[in-house]
Structures are given as structure tokens and as C-alpha cells.
Amino acid sequence: MYFAFFWRVSTEDNQDPTASRNWQYTRARSLIEPHGGSIVAEYSDVGHSRSVPWQRRPGSKALLDALADPNRGFDAVVIGEPQRAFYGNQFGNTFPLFVHYGVQLWVPEVGGPIDPTSEAHDLVMSVFAGMSKGERNRIKLRVRTAMAAQAELEGRFLGGRPPYGYRLVDAGPHPNPAKAAEGRRLQRLAPDPITAPVVERIFAEYVSGLGIYAIAEGLARDGIPSPSAYDPRRNPHRCGTGWAKSAVRAILLNPRYTGYQVWNRQRKDEVLIDVTDVALGHETKLRWNTTEDWIWSERPAHEPLISRETFELTQELMRAQGKRPHQRKPHRSRHGYQFKGLLLCGIDGCGRRMQGQRNHDESYYRCRFPQQYALAQGLEHPRNVYLRERELVDPLEHWLGRVFDPDYLEDTVRRLAAAAGDTTTTAAPVAAAQARIQRCEARLAQYRAALDAGADPVLVAEWIAEVEAERTAATAELKAHKQRTRQLTADDIRHLVHNSTKARRALRRAKPEDKNELYRQLGLRLVYQPERHLVSAEVNPVGFLMCPRGDLNPHPLDRGLAPQASASAIPPLGLDHTAAPRRVRGKDS
């Protein structure tokens, strides 16, 4: 029998994936080899929690997808340790798929394949899945209790980024002898000589009566770098152009500036992704705890920047002004935006993505540029720049449709056919699989020659079984690549794109989120220049995919398997969003 081997390892407790995989692999082999089994495929989840359902883990999802493939190349699946694979009710939700597709599931705890008709086997797997859930809950409880005790009794810095105004300094050897032997040391907070005075200024100005916005404007006017500008590595996703009000508010709400170590300001809650489908599992949400749940150290743990009385006065002022911290709920838009993440603000010095917004039941895109950012950069930027979505949809779809017009069709076919002729990237996986098969054939010939020369038959048979398993896996991989890779000829492309009318109709009927995915695959980039009322569009497609139904359903691109298309196959576009629908400006625009 040919087996697929599945294993999982979590990186949360610094486990070595190689060592964990090896002992699980050894356990799996010891189970199947006495029955003549060999492993020809391998699936793994590294760094993914066992609490995540199989359908949401990449390795597990790939294994489930392979079960439905009649050419999967294996007859059964072996798992080294079921506690690492199944959690809670996951076995009950997953095993029916194995039964449906006729693939056996082998685990060491039952000494072979799981019998779907055996109540004992089902009970054993349910027990191990329950033990897995219990083990995870016990670990969470122990870790949280230990961290609370370390923060309260020792005032220990428990990791993470230091608050703005502080830096990390050495605090001596680690109290755990094993970690100390590895060179691990404790750290503590110490005032940063550059940013600590800024924190003191923020608290002093707020207590004196200045508002958060006025404080942010003053810091930007004085040229003081914001936290993300001072240390770009701590917030690489921030623009760092000025002081945001949220940054000032976060500093005013942080109790660690009093010199005390404070822990448990936030917690992780696991909430159902879909209350109507519990099998989808949970997702982790960070939520703020109330001040009553905070854990304060019994005595100061580092040098304070403000007194505790100043901090408490600040909190009273914020509560009086209605600025108390509130739980931030994730915003899930009920409306899809066709150009989400694709439309940029073209004002010089901005270049930020415009955000979708609904006004009067219409979709808009807005660039809101805070005044403190403009002050920091010396820009003339309106507070809000708006663009109505419907004024852009028709001209853009008309422009994209021009590539299929009769006047452009032959040029498009010629360019795409030329791009499809470059098989450098598509041939690489096929050549690698073919080379592996050739190496396996050469090794099998050597082993057979050794057997004829009088070598130990048992040892040689083991060698041959390993190489045959490797050759089977390489053959399955080669077959998969050949099925997914096909060079498009000019006739193929002409057949796909000749009916442009249907293509444009399908584009108009598509949902906004489907259009957005299609535009992303096309490499669409839009830049809005409000002073000229002009949207410049650029398409840089990374692939040209065949769709068996001839529609415009967006499919994920497989880089390296799809022929590369040239952006020059699409005519240039300049759109005047104030013009009538379908008006396309000339090439000079």
C-alpha cells in the first residue's frame, strides 16, 4: 500500500519542526511497514494551532483536496500522533471524508486503519481529540497564571515592544537555569533619552488643558518624529508622516509610564467565525479588558516618566470628556468595493490608498489626510478627497473590453501567443520531476545489479521499496504538472477571446468582490488626480488563464504555470471621471 504521511508541529513553544517531524515519521513507519506499506506523499502543518479546523489549515486542506483526486497516488493516510492532528470535534467532521473517498486512516493508537463501523475506534479517537483540547486549555491556564504572578510579584518585563519613551536594557541572567545556560537574559524598561521627554510633554500639556488634537498638531509643528517615524521597524505598515491622534491617546492611556509593570490590559477571545456553521471553528480577537482586570506589580519595576497621581488625573479628565477606552469592533462592510486596494491618491507627496465609503447609498473612495500629516510634510492636501465609484466603472470596463474588439483582437492574440511561447518558468517543475524519476530509475538498476551479485535480499528489497515510493511520488507530481500546464497556441487564444460581447456582459454581472479579485489578477493600478479630475489606469497582467466555461469567474493565479502576458497588449487609458460614461481619452493622456 502507498501512504500519505501527515504531521503537525506548533512553533508557539519553540519546538524544532525537524525533530518533531522525524519522530512522528518514525512512529508512522513502524506502524505501516510490517503491513507492506510505504510513504509516497507528505502533508504537514507547521506553526498552525490544532484548534484551527482542517479546512483552514494549509497542509490539512491540501490533504483533504487530494482525497477527492482519483490520481492522488496513495491509498491510505497515516498519522504519527492523533493528538496533534485532531482537536475537539474535528475527527467527527473530517473522518467521513476519508470514508466517502475510500481512503483508509491509520493511527498507532488503534494499531492500524480506523474501522468506520467500530464504536471502539470512534470512542478512542474522540477521547484523544478531547485530550488534545484539554491539554491546550491546561497549557493556556498555566501560562496565563505564571505570567500574572511574574508581573505582580516580580514586576518582570514579559516581552513585546517597549512603549514609546522607553528602551530595553539588560536585567541580568535568566532565572531558569536551562535558559540561562543558553545565554538567555532578562530585560527591563529604561527611559529613552530622546523620546522620554516627549512623553512627559504629552502628559503635561494634556493635564494643563490642551486636547489630543492640539497636542498632535504641536508635536508635528515642532518637527518631533512620531513613534513610527522614530523607529520605522516597530510599525513598518505606518506611513510615519506625522503624529496621529490615536498615537497620543495610546500614550495617555498607558499605565506603564508610572514605573509599574502592568499586564493583562488586553485579552484574546476565541469567537465563532459563523454562528450558523460551528464546524468553521473560531478566530482570535484582541479585546480590551476593564481597568479592574489589569495586573499591577506590587512595587515599581522601572524608572517612571510620570507620577501615578498624574496618570490617574489624566484618566479622570479623559473619562470626563468621554474619551474612555472602548472596545473596538471589527468593521465588516456590507458592500463590496470593486477597486478596493487598487485606487491611489495622486496628489504629490501622498500616494496613499483611497478607502471605500458609502454616502447616500452610493460607493465612494476617500483619501482623508489628517492636518497634522500635512503640517509635518508641508503639503497642500485637502482634508478629504472623494471619487464616486459609478463614474469610474463604465469607462474602465469599456477600456478593458477594447482588448477584445476586432481592431485589437489579432494584435492581442499575437502578443499572448508570443508570451505563451516562453516556457522557461512553466517547464522548470516538469524538468525537476523528470530528473527525479531518472535518478530513481538509475538507482533501481544499481540495486538490481547488486541483488544479482549476491547482496542481502532483505536489505536490497528495503532499498528498492524506498526508491519505488520516491519514483511513485515523482510520477504523480509530474502528472499533476502536466495536467495543470498547457501552452496556449494562437488558435487557443483566438477561441477564448473571440466572443468579447459575452465577456463584457459577464464582467457587468459579476459581484464587486469578484471584479476586485479579477482586477488584482490583471495587475490593475488606478491613480486619481483630483486637481485634473483624471484617473490614470495601468494594467500589468501576470498571467492569462483558461476558463473551461468561458466566463469571467476569477481563479487564483498559479505563478510559474500560467503563460506570461505583456501589459502592452492592452491599449493605454486615461479616464476623465467627470465625462460621460464610456468616454475614453486619447493615448497622450
Side-chain angles (χ1 to χ4, degrees):
M1 293 180 63
Y2 294 125
F3 282 82
F5 167 57
F6 176 81
W7 59 282
R8 191 196 70 82
V9 58
S10 174
T11 57
E12 293 182 356
D13 50 356
N14 298 322
Q15 292 186 11
D16 179 13
T18 302
S20 181
R21 180 262 179 198
N22 288 342
W23 73 257
Q24 293 182 61
Y25 182 79
T26 302
R27 198 161 184 247
R29 285 185 58 182
S30 63
L31 173 65
I32 65 174
E33 285 184 349
H35 302 276
S38 59
I39 295 174
V40 298
E42 188 169 309
Y43 298 87
S44 64
D45 282 320
V46 178
H48 295 273
S49 173
R50 72 186 80 180
S51 64
V52 178
W54 275 50
Q55 291 78 3
R56 291 171 46 213
R57 286 189 246 153
S60 307
K61 177 67 165 55
L63 176 57
L64 294 180
D65 292 341
L67 296 181
D69 184 6
N71 301 315
R72 55 185 170 265
F74 57 85
D75 311 304
V77 175
V78 59
I79 294 177
E81 187 182 51
Q83 296 98 313
R84 291 177 175 265
F86 298 109
Y87 174 92
N89 61 348
Q90 291 178 5
F91 174 76
N93 294 331
T94 306
F95 186 62
L97 294 176
F98 287 82
V99 178
H100 176 76
Y101 292 112
V103 178
Q104 293 183 354
L105 179 62
W106 289 51
V107 294
E109 279 65 20
V110 300
I114 298 176
D115 185 357
T117 64
S118 173
E119 295 182 4
H121 285 188
D122 185 71
L123 179 61
V124 167
M125 296 302 299
S126 299
V127 168
F128 278 109
M131 291 172 57
S132 177
K133 183 176 182 179
E135 178 187 2
R136 181 173 180 267
N137 290 335
R138 285 194 304 273
I139 292 175
K140 288 172 57 178
L141 179 62
R142 287 199 299 265
V143 170
R144 290 186 58 83
T145 304
M147 294 180 71
Q150 291 170 355
E152 182 177 8
L153 302 179
E154 305 175 31
R156 184 186 300 186
F157 176 73
L158 298 176
R161 299 179 304 181
Y164 178 79
Y166 282 107
R167 56 192 176 92
L168 294 177
V169 297
D170 184 75
H174 201 285
N176 187 313
K179 294 182 178 181
E182 297 174 357
R184 305 268 299 271
R185 301 181 67 83
L186 293 179
Q187 293 179 310
R188 63 178 178 84
L189 298 176
D192 186 325
I194 298 177
T195 59
V198 180
V199 174
E200 297 172 358
R201 168 181 168 173
I202 290 174
F203 276 92
E205 290 183 349
Y206 189 78
V207 171
S208 66
L210 283 181
I212 292 177
Y213 183 80
I215 294 174
E217 266 195 335
L219 295 172
R221 189 183 304 110
D222 295 343
I224 297 176
S226 65
S228 55
Y230 176 72
D231 186 6
R233 291 180 299 176
R234 68 184 280 131
N235 285 307
H237 59 292
R238 305 283 187 186
C239 62
T241 54
W243 276 85
K245 291 179 290 185
S246 59
V248 177
R249 183 181 291 109
I251 291 174
L252 293 172
L253 291 172
N254 196 335
R256 289 200 285 179
Y257 293 119
T258 62
Y260 287 84
Q261 182 62 269
V262 182
W263 182 76
N264 200 38
R265 294 179 63 207
Q266 281 185 303
R267 69 181 187 275
K268 290 182 179 181
D269 285 348
E270 293 185 347
V271 298
L272 287 172
I273 295 177
D274 186 353
V275 295
T276 62
D277 188 0
V278 181
L280 288 178
H282 300 77
E283 59 181 347
T284 302
K285 297 289 186 181
L286 277 176
R287 291 174 174 169
W288 292 102
N289 287 324
T290 61
T291 55
E292 292 77 11
D293 295 327
W294 294 0
I295 305 297
W296 289 72
S297 60
E298 293 181 344
R299 52 186 177 276
H302 49 267
E303 184 178 342
L305 300 184
I306 60 170
S307 65
R308 191 158 180 175
E309 292 75 15
T310 300
F311 178 78
E312 292 175 353
L313 175 60
T314 301
Q315 307 315 301
E316 292 178 3
L317 292 174
M318 296 186 74
R319 284 192 293 269
Q321 297 173 7
K323 301 295 185 181
R324 61 174 57 90
H326 62 279
Q327 179 176 316
R328 201 177 279 272
K329 297 182 179 180
H331 175 70
R332 294 188 177 182
S333 174
R334 294 176 297 156
H335 306 280
Y337 294 94
Q338 300 184 26
F339 310 111
K340 179 181 178 181
L342 306 176
L343 183 62
L344 308 179
C345 178
I347 295 179
D348 290 340
C350 182
R352 303 193 308 169
R353 287 186 175 88
M354 301 180 68
Q355 305 298 317
Q357 182 175 344
R358 295 285 295 184
N359 286 335
H360 305 292
D361 294 328
E362 281 201 75
S363 295
Y364 284 79
Y365 295 90
R366 180 184 73 169
C367 178
R368 183 178 182 275
F369 202 88
Q371 292 300 304
Q372 60 265 35
Y373 289 4
L375 287 171
Q377 291 187 315
L379 298 178
E380 294 292 335
H381 193 296
R383 174 168 291 187
N384 290 287
V385 174
Y386 286 96
L387 174 63
R388 185 183 283 112
E389 184 180 79
R390 65 180 173 87
E391 295 180 351
L392 182 59
V393 171
D394 285 347
L396 181 69
E397 291 180 358
H398 175 70
W399 174 63
L400 290 175
R402 289 178 63 195
V403 72
F404 303 119
D405 286 347
D407 294 341
Y408 293 97
L409 181 58
E410 288 304 319
D411 182 64
T412 300
V413 170
R414 178 180 57 81
R415 292 178 181 271
L416 291 177
D422 182 9
T423 59
T424 302
T425 56
T426 59
V430 174
Q434 290 174 339
R436 286 176 55 195
I437 294 174
Q438 292 176 358
R439 289 195 296 268
C440 290
E441 296 287 356
R443 290 165 61 189
L444 287 174
Q446 294 176 358
Y447 296 157
R448 294 189 183 100
L451 186 62
D452 294 338
D456 184 0
V458 177
L459 181 60
V460 174
E462 182 178 350
W463 294 348
I464 291 176
E466 292 180 357
V467 177
E468 284 183 342
E470 182 180 350
R471 182 180 62 177
T472 301
T475 303
E477 181 181 344
L478 176 62
K479 185 176 181 180
H481 283 307
K482 287 185 174 181
Q483 287 177 344
R484 299 171 66 187
T485 304
R486 179 187 169 190
Q487 181 175 340
L488 297 178
T489 65
D491 291 337
D492 293 330
I493 298 172
R494 189 177 292 106
H495 176 72
L496 288 171
V497 303
H498 79 284
N499 199 340
S500 60
T501 304
K502 289 185 178 180
R504 280 195 290 267
R505 278 206 303 266
L507 184 61
R508 290 182 178 277
R509 290 196 305 266
K511 296 179 181 179
E513 52 270 23
D514 292 337
K515 288 185 180 181
N516 181 261
E517 178 63 23
L518 177 61
Y519 292 152
R520 289 180 183 274
Q521 293 184 10
L522 288 174
L524 178 65
R525 183 176 181 269
L526 303 169
V527 180
Y528 176 46
Q529 302 172 23
E531 68 280 359
R532 299 175 58 193
H533 302 291
L534 182 72
V535 172
S536 60
E538 177 181 296
V539 169
N540 184 21
V542 296
F544 185 84
L545 295 182
M546 297 178 60
C547 183
R549 294 177 298 278
D551 58 21
L552 289 178
N553 293 331
H555 300 280
L557 283 177
D558 193 343
R559 298 179 185 269
L561 296 179
Q564 298 299 303
S566 171
S568 59
I570 311 292
L573 167 73
L575 294 177
D576 185 345
H577 88 279
T578 62
R582 294 184 176 275
R583 178 180 174 186
V584 180
R585 301 185 65 174
K587 188 172 183 179
D588 293 338
S589 298

